[in-house]
Amino acid sequence: MKKLFAFILSISFIFGAMTVTANAADSLDAPHIDFIFEEGTLVEIQERIIADLTGEDDGVETCNILCDLLGHKLETGVTTSITHNASSTNPRCLEKKHQYEICSRCDYSKYTLISSKYISCC
């Protein structure tokens, strides 16, 4: 009888602990990233930057024959990304500034991190 009672008590403790962990994981806010672009940045360039910096890019780089012959046609600029809820303590948001070089003819892109700092915005 004591073994049965101990077994039922330990099973209920395990399920209770799993419920608490699941609720704790649900209460954490998922990070959300906002991008700030320079005025006049083309929409296609903005979409490529977002895909590259969020990891949605497939990583396969295809080169155009024009780029092989004439070189890349580079678009350059600076973009800022703000990752909200990146930290559990205040300041919670992470601001990163990247300088980019993106070819408008092929998939070539190069990013250089200029600055990275935590800010209070949420």
Side-chain angles (χ1 to χ4, degrees):
M1 185 70 174
K2 288 182 183 180
K3 289 182 183 181
L4 180 64
F5 180 71
F7 178 73
I8 292 173
L9 187 62
S10 62
I11 294 294
S12 64
F13 177 74
I14 290 172
F15 282 118
M18 287 174 33
T19 306
V20 169
T21 1
N23 290 340
D26 291 341
S27 67
L28 292 176
D29 294 331
H32 173 73
I33 302 174
D34 287 331
F35 288 90
I36 303 169
F37 297 99
E38 294 176 325
E39 195 169 320
T41 305
L42 299 173
V43 175
E44 295 84 15
I45 300 294
Q46 292 179 10
E47 291 172 352
R48 283 186 54 192
I49 291 171
I50 291 171
D52 287 344
L53 294 180
T54 57
E56 296 174 10
D57 188 25
D58 58 5
V60 177
E61 202 171 288
T62 58
C63 205
N64 192 332
I65 193 161
L66 286 174
C67 292
D68 288 337
L69 296 174
L70 304 173
H72 294 295
K73 183 179 177 185
L74 295 177
E75 301 282 337
T76 60
V78 175
T79 186
T80 303
S81 65
I82 299 175
T83 306
H84 300 283
N85 301 317
S87 174
S88 60
T89 59
N90 212 9
R92 296 181 53 125
C93 302
L94 178 62
E95 177 186 76
K96 291 182 180 181
K97 291 189 183 209
H98 289 90
Q99 181 179 5
Y100 62 86
E101 292 180 350
I102 295 179
C103 180
S104 60
R105 289 184 241 181
C106 71
D107 287 344
Y108 172 78
S109 60
K110 178 183 175 186
Y111 298 94
T112 306
L113 182 64
I114 298 173
S115 68
S116 176
K117 63 181 177 180
Y118 282 93
I119 60 171
S120 295
C121 69
C122 293

